[in-house]
Amino acid sequence: MGEIEVGEFIIEWDDSKAAINKKKHKLSFETAAKIFLDDFRIEELDEEHSDDEDRIKVIGMVENILVVIYTERGERLRLISARNAEKYEKEDYYGQFNS
């Protein structure tokens, strides 16, 4: 089990899932966890994948615009996946500054 403290958050993840994510998306969970330091991050319920537990989709800046999926486990946030944002997700992120 991996774990890191980021700001006020304790972030955890399954090591085997982290290895799969890094191989597939070239992005470590250690780096992805920094998304929670972005005060402009966008968080929304991932309704499509929230059958068994609430999963939250976060779009935020960590070197590039990233998308992180996580769930709450008590006081901790458990990372499920992390990847670079698609074009429409980048537009959502930058669009909040044009309001």
Side-chain angles (χ1 to χ4, degrees):
M1 172 93 58
E3 181 179 293
I4 190 171
E5 191 170 332
V6 177
E8 64 189 73
F9 303 102
I10 299 174
I11 315 295
E12 66 180 25
W13 56 83
D14 177 88
D15 289 330
S16 62
K17 187 170 280 262
I20 292 167
N21 193 87
K22 186 164 186 173
K23 185 175 182 180
K24 181 176 181 181
H25 298 292
K26 311 287 189 269
L27 182 62
S28 72
F29 279 177
E30 291 89 347
T31 297
K34 295 176 186 173
I35 200 168
F36 296 100
L37 296 174
D38 181 359
D39 291 334
F40 299 106
R41 69 185 179 274
I42 299 169
E43 297 193 33
E44 59 188 35
L45 181 64
D46 182 3
E47 293 181 23
E48 184 178 338
H49 300 103
S50 291
D51 293 335
D52 298 327
E53 62 187 356
D54 285 346
R55 293 187 174 193
I56 294 117
K57 175 181 177 180
V58 184
I59 303 171
M61 176 74 77
V62 179
E63 299 169 8
N64 297 306
I65 305 298
L66 303 181
V67 173
V68 173
I69 306 296
Y70 76 92
T71 191
E72 295 178 0
R73 295 277 172 91
E75 298 293 316
R76 298 168 178 255
L77 305 180
R78 185 171 182 88
L79 298 188
I80 298 168
S81 67
R83 60 176 171 76
N84 286 304
E86 299 288 337
K87 182 179 178 187
Y88 74 94
E89 294 162 327
K90 291 176 185 178
E91 290 170 354
D92 288 347
Y93 182 83
Y94 288 120
Q96 69 181 323
F97 302 110
N98 296 329
S99 308

